[in-house]
Amino acid sequence: MAQLVCKALSLGYEGRCVVNGLNFQVNQGDYICIAGENGSGKTTLMKTLLHLTPPLGGEIITDESFSLEEIGYLPQQRQPQSDFVASVYEIVLSGTIARLKNRAFYGKAEKQTALNSMERFGILDLRKKSFRSLSGGQQQRVLLARAYCAAGKMLLLDEPVSGLDPKFAAEMYDIIEGLHEDGMTILMISHDRKALDYADHVLHIGDTLFFGTTEEYLKSPLGKTFYAYGGE
């Protein structure tokens, strides 16, 4: 079942078009790696899918049974969160804020969702710690747990292993794969060729556009270049 379909989509910001004529489809349970050069529009695509940035043209069609409130989003972390003084529990709990509707306070259901998410990602013992006191790998787990609280059917992940050492990166890939095996749809931006070991489809954005299976991508000139140079 198609959760969303993009037709002749044009993306950009501040009136500047960075992607034109993008066509692809996301089916329930897909694991899609979004590849491409820096500045090619990958993050802009995610923000457009979340309706944070309007498309410049084309359309995004969603299935009637699927809503934006069922998407969890993990943005790229560009610098250490040294000023983030909230506790791990507070940050993960904030992932349920869309469920509050017109309520001013978190209820028992939201609090239990946060606890369940922390337990799933192995950070329950960190719930009282300040986020800024954690290692980079632990911080990324916390932010993924927050995104998971918001995700009913789909996760958008922007460079989830960027800046992590190989051990934490491998753990992050295993966690994401576990979510996918449970039926979660994954759209992940990555410059890491290791991501292709997990994805079943690839969307490549740049001067040349590509959408197809990972196998087809690896046989293409774009895929051979990506895999040979680690996406750089």
Side-chain angles (χ1 to χ4, degrees):
M1 179 187 73
Q3 291 177 319
L4 64 86
V5 178
C6 294
K7 293 185 176 181
L9 198 62
S10 294
L11 310 172
Y13 50 89
E14 298 179 353
R16 173 175 173 260
C17 182
V18 293
V19 180
N20 189 40
L22 185 61
N23 297 282
F24 69 98
Q25 177 173 309
V26 182
N27 295 321
Q28 182 177 342
D30 277 350
Y31 192 144
I32 299 175
C33 177
I34 303 174
E37 299 75 18
N38 290 332
S40 60
K42 301 183 298 298
T43 297
T44 301
L45 170 61
M46 283 199 170
K47 291 181 178 180
T48 302
L49 294 179
L50 291 165
H51 289 195
L52 300 175
T53 300
L56 299 182
E59 57 182 335
I60 302 172
I61 304 168
T62 56
D63 183 78
E64 292 181 357
S65 64
F66 179 75
S67 74
L68 290 176
E69 293 181 357
E70 296 176 297
I71 301 178
Y73 177 46
L74 175 64
Q76 183 177 2
Q77 304 307 304
R78 300 187 181 278
Q79 58 186 13
Q81 304 291 333
S82 57
D83 297 327
F84 218 159
V85 297
S87 71
V88 168
Y89 174 68
E90 290 169 332
I91 290 172
V92 176
L93 182 61
S94 70
T96 68
I97 196 167
R99 305 183 186 191
L100 298 182
K101 304 297 183 183
N102 296 321
R103 289 184 285 127
F105 301 99
Y106 295 107
K108 183 178 180 180
E110 288 80 35
K111 293 175 181 178
Q112 189 60 52
T113 295
L115 291 172
N116 292 344
S117 184
M118 287 187 290
E119 184 173 16
R120 169 153 197 163
F121 293 104
I123 56 173
L124 189 59
D125 60 328
L126 302 176
R127 62 188 180 277
K128 296 182 180 180
K129 289 187 174 293
S130 169
F131 179 81
R132 67 179 180 180
S133 70
L134 305 180
S135 68
Q138 289 172 328
Q139 287 184 351
Q140 199 70 337
R141 281 195 183 215
V142 172
L143 296 175
L144 183 57
R146 179 180 65 175
Y148 182 67
C149 281
K153 296 181 179 180
M154 183 183 293
L155 272 171
L156 305 186
L157 309 174
D158 193 346
E159 297 282 5
V161 304
S162 178
L164 300 183
D165 64 36
K167 176 179 180 295
F168 279 118
E171 290 177 355
M172 185 64 67
Y173 277 128
D174 287 342
I175 290 170
I176 296 168
E177 176 61 16
L179 298 175
H180 177 240
E181 289 176 350
D182 286 348
M184 185 72 68
T185 302
I186 306 291
L187 275 70
M188 179 173 65
I189 294 173
S190 183
H191 285 93
D192 182 11
R193 61 188 177 192
K194 183 69 175 176
L196 299 180
D197 294 340
Y198 297 90
D200 47 52
H201 287 77
V202 176
L203 172 64
H204 188 107
I205 299 175
D207 293 336
T208 302
L209 301 177
F210 173 94
F211 179 67
T213 67
T214 303
E215 182 179 2
E216 291 168 340
Y217 181 67
L218 289 174
K219 292 178 180 178
S220 72
L222 282 173
K224 291 177 180 177
T225 301
F226 180 97
Y227 199 80
Y229 296 101
E232 295 299 330

